[in-house]
Every structure is written in structure tokens, then in C-alpha cells.
Amino acid sequence: MSAPVGDIGLIGLAVMGQNLILNMNDKGFTVVAYNRTTSKVDDFLANEAKGTKVQGAHSIQELCAKLKRPRKIILLVKAGPAVDSFIQQLEPYLEKGDIVIDGGNSHYPDSIRRTKELEAKGLLFVGSGVSGGEEGARHGPSLMPGGSTAAWPAIKEIFQKTAAQVNGEPCCDWVGETGSGHYVKMVHNGIEYGDMQLIAEAYDILKRGLGISESEIADIFTTWNKGVLDSFLIEITANILKFNDDDGEPLVTKILDKAGQKGTGKWTAIAALDAGTAVTLIGEAVFARCLSAIKEERVRASKVINGPQRESFRGDKQQFIDDLEQALYASKIISYTQGFMLMRETAKELSWNLNYAGIARMWRGGCIIKSVFLGDITSAYEKNKDLESLLFDDFFNKAVHKAQPGWRRVIAQAVLWGIPTPAFSTALAFFDGYRSEVVPANLLQAQRDYFGAHTFRVMPGKENPRLVKDRDIHINWTGRGGNVSASSYSA
Ligand code: NBP
């Protein structure tokens, strides 16, 4: 048999796989392509891959035989059992040190499990987030690989050359251990939900509050895209708002207001609840989609529930639009602050050594949330890799202080108008809670102890013989209950 020629193998010739193969081919790598339905291999070689260096394989055995050692095989198939099935089929043909990479949208616990299972067999596993859809895969995605650390030197060149480049830097770096690549991709998707919801709320305020037309709102977004909000999502929003149907009406006004979701936003919100981290903005973004989905019920409600009489805006319109830009910016800072808090908490729990500056750098290009703003986050973590919160970084601390007055004015006005701003409002509520030395959880603890003997701790400086420091205290509030307290644990 001739010497193996393949730098990397790729299984899964659907939209992502085909485009990633062509991208890697452009970067000088020889890719061996395989697909469950093998006729797609022939179709691909005869059409899209015609004239390239791409090789085909018609069996797993042939695929493995064509790859240089250590073998690197990337799976771009439907997440779930298909990934496990391919791993099982590959195993007999792999040798110690070979690397299986899952580039699909797998849930991170699966990647944690797969890393352990393959490492136990002397193989290496990488779970890599791949973002940017078809366009990204073809011309440069954001790649977020994590898993068996020993795999990184072997795949680094291929990954970093294939990824999007921003200012000569690849949007790909090693994320960390086991399932961290897919975890970070999940948080990326959650943040994407948040960014989209914030933009939708700004649109709603401009449209229903200020009564501005879609084409004028498009101009506002175009202006914003030259400032601190410069990002892919703001850019495409301006394009969407300018897009008219054949009758000249903005197409967006004809789209049913029921948002779909595929689950990664929900996964992030669930992960946040599991970690006990207040990732409120992504949570609200997911719930806003849920509320949008009950269109028929909302229509019925709109007939019987009245809001305030919406008065036309009498203030300085341009000032309000500037305030809205700042409200969007500040809320976005909060959302990313929460996203990084979540990653930090999970990293602590799972003993991952996450590369936070690298994560922000990976998101700067090639993906849906790409923005100039992510360059500022990269700088913040480059300055201090142990940064506790983005709000402690000078740049973001100043930015959020500057934005604060306008942010509050916008939310106050929206509340008076009766226009819902779940994401803007939750961001501000988080901000006000986060900066509060004292929150009313003292009362919650008192209530818990009153009705369930759940105990409480004494506030520093308020100790006395009954209220002893660092002790779980139960008070007989009514004189009727006993003195036995419930066992204390946190759910
Ligand atoms: P799909 O998610 O549509 O998957 C198609 C591929 O999965 C085909 O190769 C198909 O083989 C294979 N497959 C299926 Br479906 N069920 C299988 C099974 N039971 N056993 C073996 N193979 C099976 O492709 P995609 O849209 O290119 O996405 C690939 C991965 O990348 C997914 O995990 C997706 O979530 C993720 N992703 C997609 C995007 C995007 O924008 N589309 C972006 C980022 C990540 P067949 O040809 O024989 O049916």
C-alpha cells in the first residue's frame, strides 16, 4: 500500500464538513473525506472538490489507512449517537496517540465523557466548537478546541491556519481540558442569544416607542456600527431592516414574531442554574423566545389586557437614541461579564485551566458574535488573566459608568411606555445587585429560618452572645416552634 498522504481526515459531508474541507485544502492541507452515505464522497470529489488535493475514502478502514500518524480525524456529523457510533467504528483502526476531533454541536458532558473514554484507551479526544456557519467553515470559522491537551501541538497548525484571522491573529487557541471547547461554544451561543435579544429590544423601542421607520432604524444601526457596538450582528440588522419586499414594505414586518431555538441558549441557562451563577441576561433571552412562541395566546391577551396609554416622546430624540446606544453597550458588557463568570465558576468546579484572553480572541472573528468589543475583552484578560469580573477592568468600569445615566433613562421610558425590555432591565438589575454591598437576602434568610428552621449567619459587626460568628443560628421566632434546626445544604 502507498504511504499515507492525508494530513487530516473528515467525516460528515454535509454543509459544514464540505466547506471546512475546502477551507483546509486552500490552506495547503491534504484532507481525506468520508461520509456514512458513501455516494456523497463520490459526488463531492466530482463536484465541489474537483481539482483540489482532497482524497476520498469509502470505508473507515480506508480513511485511517490514508492518514499520516498521529492520525487526526474530525467528525462533522449530527451531534449525539452518530458521534459515538463513529468513534466506535474508528477505534479498531486507530493507534496510540491518534486524535479524534468532534467539531459538531455536542453537549459538553458528552465531550467530558468521550475524552475520558478515549484517553483510557491511549487515544486522544478533542471537542471543538466550530462557529460561523457555512460561510465561516468555508472562509475561516472561529474554532474552540478543548480536550486532551496532548493533542494540541499536533492539530495547532491546521486549526490556526483554517480559522478566521483578525489583525493577523487566528480566531483559534487551545481552550482547556476535557469538555471545555464545547462548553465555551455553548456559552458563545448563549451570548449570541443575549446579543440578538438586546438588538431586538432596541429595535422595538425605536419602532414602537419613538415611532421610527425601519429604514431610519437601519441608518441608526449603521451609525452604531461605526462606534462601540461595531459587530456582525449590528451590521446584519441594518441590512435586514433595509431589505424590502417586492411591494416596498420592509420584509421584517412580514415575518411572524415567533422565535425558534435549537437548545444551546437553553443549555447555557441550565448550566448557569446548575453552577449557581446569575447569568440572567441569557436566561431572559431564552424566556423572551419562549414568550414570543405563544403568539396565539399573546393575541388573545392583547385584546383583554391594557397597558399604559403610549404618549409620544417629547424629549430630545437624538439624545434618547444616544442613550439607547449606551444602554445596549452597557447591557452587552453585563452579558459578557456574566458569561465569563459562568465559565470561571465551571472551570473552578471541573478543574479546567481556561484561557480567557484566548476565548475572547477566538470570538473576535469567524463567528456570529464577532465584534470590536471582543478585542477589548481580550485586552482586559491579557492585562490580568485572573480578572475576577470584567466590571473590575478599568476600560469596562469606565464604559459602564459612562453608559449608566442613559441606560437608566431608556429603561425608565420603556417601562412608562409599556414596551418590554427583559434583557436591558435584567442587565441593569444585575448591575445594581452586583454593586450593592448589602442586598435583602437577610430577610430571605429570616423567612427561611422562620418557616423552616433553615438557620442563618450573623452579619459581620452584629455579633452578640446569641448571634455567634461563623455559626448556623436558629431563632425561635414565634415562641411556639422548637429549637431544632434543619440540616443546612445548598441545592
Ligand atoms: P448535519 O447536522 O445535517 O449532519 C449531517 C451529517 O451527519 C451527514 O454526514 C450525515 O450522514 C451524518 N449523520 C446523520 Br444526520 N445521522 C447519522 C448517523 N446516525 N450516523 C452517522 N452519520 C449520521 O450537518 P451540518 O449542518 O453540516 O452540521 C454538522 C455538525 O456541525 C452538527 O453537529 C451541527 O450541529 C454542527 N454545526 C452546524 C452549523 C451550521 O451552521 N449548519 C454550525 C456550527 C456547527 P449521511 O449523509 O449519511 O446522512
Side-chain angles (χ1 to χ4, degrees), residues 84-114:
D84 289 311
S85 155
F86 274 122
I87 292 175
Q88 244 179 24
Q89 293 173 55
L90 282 163
E91 274 173 8
Y93 305 104
L94 298 180
E95 293 164 87
K96 204 166 180 301
D98 285 350
I99 304 162
V100 179
I101 304 156
D102 173 19
N105 263 344
S106 295
H107 199 192
Y108 74 95
D110 287 333
S111 302
I112 295 177
R113 170 179 59 80
R114 287 169 185 146

PDB file of all heavy atoms in Angstrom, residues 84-114:
ATOM      1  N   ASP A  84     -20.795   8.915  18.792  1.00  0.00           N
ATOM      2  CA  ASP A  84     -20.330   7.702  19.488  1.00  0.00           C
ATOM      3  C   ASP A  84     -20.192   6.535  18.521  1.00  0.00           C
ATOM      4  O   ASP A  84     -19.242   5.753  18.613  1.00  0.00           O
ATOM      5  CB  ASP A  84     -21.296   7.341  20.624  1.00  0.00           C
ATOM      6  CG  ASP A  84     -21.199   8.333  21.777  1.00  0.00           C
ATOM      7  OD1 ASP A  84     -20.072   8.615  22.208  1.00  0.00           O
ATOM      8  OD2 ASP A  84     -22.237   8.849  22.198  1.00  0.00           O
ATOM      9  N   SER A  85     -21.120   6.455  17.583  1.00  0.00           N
ATOM     10  CA  SER A  85     -21.074   5.357  16.625  1.00  0.00           C
ATOM     11  C   SER A  85     -19.799   5.436  15.780  1.00  0.00           C
ATOM     12  O   SER A  85     -19.108   4.438  15.579  1.00  0.00           O
ATOM     13  CB  SER A  85     -22.342   5.409  15.765  1.00  0.00           C
ATOM     14  OG  SER A  85     -22.125   4.812  14.528  1.00  0.00           O
ATOM     15  N   PHE A  86     -19.450   6.643  15.320  1.00  0.00           N
ATOM     16  CA  PHE A  86     -18.220   6.777  14.520  1.00  0.00           C
ATOM     17  C   PHE A  86     -16.970   6.512  15.357  1.00  0.00           C
ATOM     18  O   PHE A  86     -16.012   5.901  14.873  1.00  0.00           O
ATOM     19  CB  PHE A  86     -18.140   8.154  13.865  1.00  0.00           C
ATOM     20  CG  PHE A  86     -18.860   8.203  12.545  1.00  0.00           C
ATOM     21  CD1 PHE A  86     -19.889   9.100  12.325  1.00  0.00           C
ATOM     22  CD2 PHE A  86     -18.515   7.337  11.520  1.00  0.00           C
ATOM     23  CE1 PHE A  86     -20.568   9.134  11.111  1.00  0.00           C
ATOM     24  CE2 PHE A  86     -19.193   7.357  10.291  1.00  0.00           C
ATOM     25  CZ  PHE A  86     -20.217   8.259  10.094  1.00  0.00           C
ATOM     26  N   ILE A  87     -16.979   6.951  16.619  1.00  0.00           N
ATOM     27  CA  ILE A  87     -15.811   6.689  17.470  1.00  0.00           C
ATOM     28  C   ILE A  87     -15.608   5.180  17.582  1.00  0.00           C
ATOM     29  O   ILE A  87     -14.504   4.664  17.443  1.00  0.00           O
ATOM     30  CB  ILE A  87     -15.972   7.364  18.854  1.00  0.00           C
ATOM     31  CG1 ILE A  87     -15.912   8.890  18.699  1.00  0.00           C
ATOM     32  CG2 ILE A  87     -14.886   6.889  19.824  1.00  0.00           C
ATOM     33  CD1 ILE A  87     -16.171   9.678  19.971  1.00  0.00           C
ATOM     34  N   GLN A  88     -16.719   4.485  17.797  1.00  0.00           N
ATOM     35  CA  GLN A  88     -16.654   3.019  17.920  1.00  0.00           C
ATOM     36  C   GLN A  88     -16.117   2.383  16.647  1.00  0.00           C
ATOM     37  O   GLN A  88     -15.295   1.466  16.688  1.00  0.00           O
ATOM     38  CB  GLN A  88     -18.059   2.484  18.154  1.00  0.00           C
ATOM     39  CG  GLN A  88     -18.222   1.833  19.495  1.00  0.00           C
ATOM     40  CD  GLN A  88     -19.652   1.333  19.667  1.00  0.00           C
ATOM     41  OE1 GLN A  88     -20.369   1.077  18.689  1.00  0.00           O
ATOM     42  NE2 GLN A  88     -20.045   1.210  20.905  1.00  0.00           N
ATOM     43  N   GLN A  89     -16.580   2.883  15.504  1.00  0.00           N
ATOM     44  CA  GLN A  89     -16.131   2.302  14.225  1.00  0.00           C
ATOM     45  C   GLN A  89     -14.656   2.612  13.968  1.00  0.00           C
ATOM     46  O   GLN A  89     -13.949   1.841  13.335  1.00  0.00           O
ATOM     47  CB  GLN A  89     -16.963   2.876  13.070  1.00  0.00           C
ATOM     48  CG  GLN A  89     -18.416   2.466  13.073  1.00  0.00           C
ATOM     49  CD  GLN A  89     -19.182   3.216  11.984  1.00  0.00           C
ATOM     50  OE1 GLN A  89     -18.824   3.179  10.816  1.00  0.00           O
ATOM     51  NE2 GLN A  89     -20.230   3.916  12.384  1.00  0.00           N
ATOM     52  N   LEU A  90     -14.204   3.770  14.463  1.00  0.00           N
ATOM     53  CA  LEU A  90     -12.806   4.163  14.218  1.00  0.00           C
ATOM     54  C   LEU A  90     -11.815   3.380  15.070  1.00  0.00           C
ATOM     55  O   LEU A  90     -10.723   3.026  14.610  1.00  0.00           O
ATOM     56  CB  LEU A  90     -12.633   5.669  14.528  1.00  0.00           C
ATOM     57  CG  LEU A  90     -13.132   6.652  13.480  1.00  0.00           C
ATOM     58  CD1 LEU A  90     -13.270   8.047  14.086  1.00  0.00           C
ATOM     59  CD2 LEU A  90     -12.174   6.703  12.277  1.00  0.00           C
ATOM     60  N   GLU A  91     -12.202   3.124  16.315  1.00  0.00           N
ATOM     61  CA  GLU A  91     -11.273   2.572  17.304  1.00  0.00           C
ATOM     62  C   GLU A  91     -10.411   1.406  16.812  1.00  0.00           C
ATOM     63  O   GLU A  91      -9.191   1.414  17.013  1.00  0.00           O
ATOM     64  CB  GLU A  91     -12.029   2.183  18.583  1.00  0.00           C
ATOM     65  CG  GLU A  91     -12.177   3.371  19.512  1.00  0.00           C
ATOM     66  CD  GLU A  91     -13.060   3.086  20.724  1.00  0.00           C
ATOM     67  OE1 GLU A  91     -13.452   1.913  20.936  1.00  0.00           O
ATOM     68  OE2 GLU A  91     -13.362   4.045  21.436  1.00  0.00           O
ATOM     69  N   PRO A  92     -10.985   0.399  16.123  1.00  0.00           N
ATOM     70  CA  PRO A  92     -10.146  -0.736  15.703  1.00  0.00           C
ATOM     71  C   PRO A  92      -9.007  -0.332  14.761  1.00  0.00           C
ATOM     72  O   PRO A  92      -8.026  -1.057  14.637  1.00  0.00           O
ATOM     73  CB  PRO A  92     -11.127  -1.660  14.971  1.00  0.00           C
ATOM     74  CG  PRO A  92     -12.488  -1.210  15.368  1.00  0.00           C
ATOM     75  CD  PRO A  92     -12.396   0.214  15.754  1.00  0.00           C
ATOM     76  N   TYR A  93      -9.132   0.805  14.098  1.00  0.00           N
ATOM     77  CA  TYR A  93      -8.114   1.200  13.102  1.00  0.00           C
ATOM     78  C   TYR A  93      -7.186   2.302  13.616  1.00  0.00           C
ATOM     79  O   TYR A  93      -6.358   2.814  12.877  1.00  0.00           O
ATOM     80  CB  TYR A  93      -8.807   1.672  11.814  1.00  0.00           C
ATOM     81  CG  TYR A  93      -9.743   0.629  11.272  1.00  0.00           C
ATOM     82  CD1 TYR A  93     -11.114   0.763  11.421  1.00  0.00           C
ATOM     83  CD2 TYR A  93      -9.244  -0.530  10.656  1.00  0.00           C
ATOM     84  CE1 TYR A  93     -11.980  -0.219  10.961  1.00  0.00           C
ATOM     85  CE2 TYR A  93     -10.106  -1.516  10.199  1.00  0.00           C
ATOM     86  CZ  TYR A  93     -11.468  -1.357  10.347  1.00  0.00           C
ATOM     87  OH  TYR A  93     -12.309  -2.334   9.899  1.00  0.00           O
ATOM     88  N   LEU A  94      -7.365   2.697  14.870  1.00  0.00           N
ATOM     89  CA  LEU A  94      -6.525   3.766  15.417  1.00  0.00           C
ATOM     90  C   LEU A  94      -5.419   3.186  16.282  1.00  0.00           C
ATOM     91  O   LEU A  94      -5.527   2.073  16.805  1.00  0.00           O
ATOM     92  CB  LEU A  94      -7.383   4.738  16.244  1.00  0.00           C
ATOM     93  CG  LEU A  94      -8.483   5.475  15.475  1.00  0.00           C
ATOM     94  CD1 LEU A  94      -9.249   6.406  16.408  1.00  0.00           C
ATOM     95  CD2 LEU A  94      -7.914   6.265  14.294  1.00  0.00           C
ATOM     96  N   GLU A  95      -4.347   3.967  16.424  1.00  0.00           N
ATOM     97  CA  GLU A  95      -3.229   3.547  17.267  1.00  0.00           C
ATOM     98  C   GLU A  95      -2.993   4.603  18.333  1.00  0.00           C
ATOM     99  O   GLU A  95      -3.446   5.740  18.203  1.00  0.00           O
ATOM    100  CB  GLU A  95      -1.976   3.365  16.405  1.00  0.00           C
ATOM    101  CG  GLU A  95      -2.095   2.209  15.433  1.00  0.00           C
ATOM    102  CD  GLU A  95      -1.044   2.286  14.333  1.00  0.00           C
ATOM    103  OE1 GLU A  95       0.053   1.775  14.542  1.00  0.00           O
ATOM    104  OE2 GLU A  95      -1.345   2.895  13.283  1.00  0.00           O
ATOM    105  N   LYS A  96      -2.202   4.209  19.338  1.00  0.00           N
ATOM    106  CA  LYS A  96      -1.890   5.095  20.469  1.00  0.00           C
ATOM    107  C   LYS A  96      -1.498   6.490  19.969  1.00  0.00           C
ATOM    108  O   LYS A  96      -0.696   6.613  19.045  1.00  0.00           O
ATOM    109  CB  LYS A  96      -0.720   4.484  21.236  1.00  0.00           C
ATOM    110  CG  LYS A  96      -0.626   4.905  22.657  1.00  0.00           C
ATOM    111  CD  LYS A  96       0.353   3.978  23.403  1.00  0.00           C
ATOM    112  CE  LYS A  96       0.503   4.362  24.858  1.00  0.00           C
ATOM    113  NZ  LYS A  96       0.958   5.657  25.159  1.00  0.00           N
ATOM    114  N   GLY A  97      -2.079   7.503  20.553  1.00  0.00           N
ATOM    115  CA  GLY A  97      -1.702   8.875  20.195  1.00  0.00           C
ATOM    116  C   GLY A  97      -2.530   9.477  19.064  1.00  0.00           C
ATOM    117  O   GLY A  97      -2.432  10.677  18.792  1.00  0.00           O
ATOM    118  N   ASP A  98      -3.334   8.647  18.384  1.00  0.00           N
ATOM    119  CA  ASP A  98      -4.202   9.182  17.329  1.00  0.00           C
ATOM    120  C   ASP A  98      -5.289  10.061  17.961  1.00  0.00           C
ATOM    121  O   ASP A  98      -5.658   9.872  19.130  1.00  0.00           O
ATOM    122  CB  ASP A  98      -4.844   8.044  16.523  1.00  0.00           C
ATOM    123  CG  ASP A  98      -3.843   7.394  15.562  1.00  0.00           C
ATOM    124  OD1 ASP A  98      -2.742   7.951  15.391  1.00  0.00           O
ATOM    125  OD2 ASP A  98      -4.166   6.323  14.998  1.00  0.00           O
ATOM    126  N   ILE A  99      -5.789  10.999  17.147  1.00  0.00           N
ATOM    127  CA  ILE A  99      -6.676  12.036  17.701  1.00  0.00           C
ATOM    128  C   ILE A  99      -8.043  12.029  17.006  1.00  0.00           C
ATOM    129  O   ILE A  99      -8.122  12.172  15.780  1.00  0.00           O
ATOM    130  CB  ILE A  99      -6.038  13.430  17.507  1.00  0.00           C
ATOM    131  CG1 ILE A  99      -4.634  13.458  18.135  1.00  0.00           C
ATOM    132  CG2 ILE A  99      -6.923  14.535  18.069  1.00  0.00           C
ATOM    133  CD1 ILE A  99      -3.769  14.603  17.619  1.00  0.00           C
ATOM    134  N   VAL A 100      -9.099  11.903  17.789  1.00  0.00           N
ATOM    135  CA  VAL A 100     -10.459  12.048  17.254  1.00  0.00           C
ATOM    136  C   VAL A 100     -10.977  13.421  17.692  1.00  0.00           C
ATOM    137  O   VAL A 100     -10.915  13.766  18.876  1.00  0.00           O
ATOM    138  CB  VAL A 100     -11.402  10.944  17.784  1.00  0.00           C
ATOM    139  CG1 VAL A 100     -12.807  11.144  17.225  1.00  0.00           C
ATOM    140  CG2 VAL A 100     -10.868   9.565  17.423  1.00  0.00           C
ATOM    141  N   ILE A 101     -11.459  14.181  16.709  1.00  0.00           N
ATOM    142  CA  ILE A 101     -11.940  15.541  16.995  1.00  0.00           C
ATOM    143  C   ILE A 101     -13.424  15.597  16.655  1.00  0.00           C
ATOM    144  O   ILE A 101     -13.820  15.228  15.550  1.00  0.00           O
ATOM    145  CB  ILE A 101     -11.178  16.579  16.121  1.00  0.00           C
ATOM    146  CG1 ILE A 101      -9.669  16.443  16.333  1.00  0.00           C
ATOM    147  CG2 ILE A 101     -11.669  17.999  16.414  1.00  0.00           C
ATOM    148  CD1 ILE A 101      -8.850  16.958  15.162  1.00  0.00           C
ATOM    149  N   ASP A 102     -14.226  16.062  17.587  1.00  0.00           N
ATOM    150  CA  ASP A 102     -15.653  16.234  17.296  1.00  0.00           C
ATOM    151  C   ASP A 102     -15.919  17.728  17.110  1.00  0.00           C
ATOM    152  O   ASP A 102     -15.830  18.513  18.047  1.00  0.00           O
ATOM    153  CB  ASP A 102     -16.486  15.670  18.463  1.00  0.00           C
ATOM    154  CG  ASP A 102     -17.970  15.967  18.304  1.00  0.00           C
ATOM    155  OD1 ASP A 102     -18.398  16.277  17.174  1.00  0.00           O
ATOM    156  OD2 ASP A 102     -18.708  15.882  19.312  1.00  0.00           O
ATOM    157  N   GLY A 103     -16.249  18.106  15.872  1.00  0.00           N
ATOM    158  CA  GLY A 103     -16.490  19.521  15.565  1.00  0.00           C
ATOM    159  C   GLY A 103     -17.970  19.870  15.527  1.00  0.00           C
ATOM    160  O   GLY A 103     -18.330  20.996  15.172  1.00  0.00           O
ATOM    161  N   GLY A 104     -18.830  18.924  15.893  1.00  0.00           N
ATOM    162  CA  GLY A 104     -20.278  19.180  15.875  1.00  0.00           C
ATOM    163  C   GLY A 104     -20.720  19.925  17.115  1.00  0.00           C
ATOM    164  O   GLY A 104     -19.913  20.246  17.997  1.00  0.00           O
ATOM    165  N   ASN A 105     -22.018  20.180  17.186  1.00  0.00           N
ATOM    166  CA  ASN A 105     -22.561  20.931  18.328  1.00  0.00           C
ATOM    167  C   ASN A 105     -22.884  19.993  19.472  1.00  0.00           C
ATOM    168  O   ASN A 105     -24.030  19.914  19.923  1.00  0.00           O
ATOM    169  CB  ASN A 105     -23.832  21.669  17.901  1.00  0.00           C
ATOM    170  CG  ASN A 105     -23.530  23.113  17.546  1.00  0.00           C
ATOM    171  OD1 ASN A 105     -22.469  23.640  17.889  1.00  0.00           O
ATOM    172  ND2 ASN A 105     -24.458  23.749  16.858  1.00  0.00           N
ATOM    173  N   SER A 106     -21.893  19.292  19.978  1.00  0.00           N
ATOM    174  CA  SER A 106     -22.145  18.328  21.050  1.00  0.00           C
ATOM    175  C   SER A 106     -22.294  19.046  22.382  1.00  0.00           C
ATOM    176  O   SER A 106     -21.713  20.112  22.598  1.00  0.00           O
ATOM    177  CB  SER A 106     -20.986  17.338  21.144  1.00  0.00           C
ATOM    178  OG  SER A 106     -20.943  16.577  19.967  1.00  0.00           O
ATOM    179  N   HIS A 107     -23.064  18.421  23.269  1.00  0.00           N
ATOM    180  CA  HIS A 107     -23.220  18.972  24.611  1.00  0.00           C
ATOM    181  C   HIS A 107     -21.966  18.603  25.396  1.00  0.00           C
ATOM    182  O   HIS A 107     -21.492  17.473  25.318  1.00  0.00           O
ATOM    183  CB  HIS A 107     -24.474  18.374  25.253  1.00  0.00           C
ATOM    184  CG  HIS A 107     -24.984  19.165  26.409  1.00  0.00           C
ATOM    185  ND1 HIS A 107     -25.934  18.698  27.256  1.00  0.00           N
ATOM    186  CD2 HIS A 107     -24.683  20.405  26.853  1.00  0.00           C
ATOM    187  CE1 HIS A 107     -26.202  19.608  28.185  1.00  0.00           C
ATOM    188  NE2 HIS A 107     -25.436  20.655  27.949  1.00  0.00           N
ATOM    189  N   TYR A 108     -21.453  19.551  26.185  1.00  0.00           N
ATOM    190  CA  TYR A 108     -20.135  19.348  26.796  1.00  0.00           C
ATOM    191  C   TYR A 108     -20.016  18.116  27.697  1.00  0.00           C
ATOM    192  O   TYR A 108     -18.934  17.519  27.752  1.00  0.00           O
ATOM    193  CB  TYR A 108     -19.668  20.620  27.520  1.00  0.00           C
ATOM    194  CG  TYR A 108     -20.383  20.886  28.818  1.00  0.00           C
ATOM    195  CD1 TYR A 108     -19.845  20.461  30.032  1.00  0.00           C
ATOM    196  CD2 TYR A 108     -21.610  21.532  28.851  1.00  0.00           C
ATOM    197  CE1 TYR A 108     -20.512  20.687  31.225  1.00  0.00           C
ATOM    198  CE2 TYR A 108     -22.281  21.754  30.032  1.00  0.00           C
ATOM    199  CZ  TYR A 108     -21.725  21.328  31.216  1.00  0.00           C
ATOM    200  OH  TYR A 108     -22.387  21.542  32.384  1.00  0.00           O
ATOM    201  N   PRO A 109     -21.089  17.686  28.419  1.00  0.00           N
ATOM    202  CA  PRO A 109     -20.887  16.478  29.236  1.00  0.00           C
ATOM    203  C   PRO A 109     -20.501  15.270  28.371  1.00  0.00           C
ATOM    204  O   PRO A 109     -19.740  14.409  28.811  1.00  0.00           O
ATOM    205  CB  PRO A 109     -22.254  16.261  29.898  1.00  0.00           C
ATOM    206  CG  PRO A 109     -22.914  17.599  29.862  1.00  0.00           C
ATOM    207  CD  PRO A 109     -22.438  18.244  28.596  1.00  0.00           C
ATOM    208  N   ASP A 110     -21.009  15.230  27.131  1.00  0.00           N
ATOM    209  CA  ASP A 110     -20.620  14.136  26.228  1.00  0.00           C
ATOM    210  C   ASP A 110     -19.132  14.226  25.897  1.00  0.00           C
ATOM    211  O   ASP A 110     -18.444  13.211  25.780  1.00  0.00           O
ATOM    212  CB  ASP A 110     -21.435  14.203  24.928  1.00  0.00           C
ATOM    213  CG  ASP A 110     -22.876  13.766  25.130  1.00  0.00           C
ATOM    214  OD1 ASP A 110     -23.124  12.960  26.056  1.00  0.00           O
ATOM    215  OD2 ASP A 110     -23.760  14.234  24.381  1.00  0.00           O
ATOM    216  N   SER A 111     -18.640  15.439  25.740  1.00  0.00           N
ATOM    217  CA  SER A 111     -17.215  15.594  25.404  1.00  0.00           C
ATOM    218  C   SER A 111     -16.323  15.253  26.599  1.00  0.00           C
ATOM    219  O   SER A 111     -15.233  14.712  26.430  1.00  0.00           O
ATOM    220  CB  SER A 111     -16.934  17.027  24.932  1.00  0.00           C
ATOM    221  OG  SER A 111     -17.748  17.287  23.814  1.00  0.00           O
ATOM    222  N   ILE A 112     -16.816  15.546  27.800  1.00  0.00           N
ATOM    223  CA  ILE A 112     -16.057  15.158  29.007  1.00  0.00           C
ATOM    224  C   ILE A 112     -15.943  13.628  29.027  1.00  0.00           C
ATOM    225  O   ILE A 112     -14.860  13.062  29.207  1.00  0.00           O
ATOM    226  CB  ILE A 112     -16.762  15.680  30.288  1.00  0.00           C
ATOM    227  CG1 ILE A 112     -16.754  17.213  30.322  1.00  0.00           C
ATOM    228  CG2 ILE A 112     -16.117  15.091  31.542  1.00  0.00           C
ATOM    229  CD1 ILE A 112     -17.495  17.831  31.507  1.00  0.00           C
ATOM    230  N   ARG A 113     -17.084  12.983  28.798  1.00  0.00           N
ATOM    231  CA  ARG A 113     -17.105  11.507  28.820  1.00  0.00           C
ATOM    232  C   ARG A 113     -16.203  10.936  27.724  1.00  0.00           C
ATOM    233  O   ARG A 113     -15.383  10.047  27.968  1.00  0.00           O
ATOM    234  CB  ARG A 113     -18.561  11.029  28.622  1.00  0.00           C
ATOM    235  CG  ARG A 113     -18.704   9.534  28.373  1.00  0.00           C
ATOM    236  CD  ARG A 113     -20.157   9.102  28.205  1.00  0.00           C
ATOM    237  NE  ARG A 113     -20.874   9.753  27.120  1.00  0.00           N
ATOM    238  CZ  ARG A 113     -20.782   9.423  25.834  1.00  0.00           C
ATOM    239  NH1 ARG A 113     -19.967   8.463  25.447  1.00  0.00           N
ATOM    240  NH2 ARG A 113     -21.496  10.069  24.917  1.00  0.00           N
ATOM    241  N   ARG A 114     -16.321  11.493  26.514  1.00  0.00           N
ATOM    242  CA  ARG A 114     -15.547  10.932  25.392  1.00  0.00           C
ATOM    243  C   ARG A 114     -14.047  11.126  25.611  1.00  0.00           C
ATOM    244  O   ARG A 114     -13.250  10.257  25.246  1.00  0.00           O
ATOM    245  CB  ARG A 114     -15.997  11.587  24.075  1.00  0.00           C
ATOM    246  CG  ARG A 114     -17.371  11.091  23.641  1.00  0.00           C
ATOM    247  CD  ARG A 114     -17.966  11.896  22.515  1.00  0.00           C
ATOM    248  NE  ARG A 114     -19.329  11.438  22.234  1.00  0.00           N
ATOM    249  CZ  ARG A 114     -20.328  12.213  21.834  1.00  0.00           C
ATOM    250  NH1 ARG A 114     -20.140  13.517  21.656  1.00  0.00           N
ATOM    251  NH2 ARG A 114     -21.522  11.722  21.613  1.00  0.00           N
TER     252      ARG A 114
END
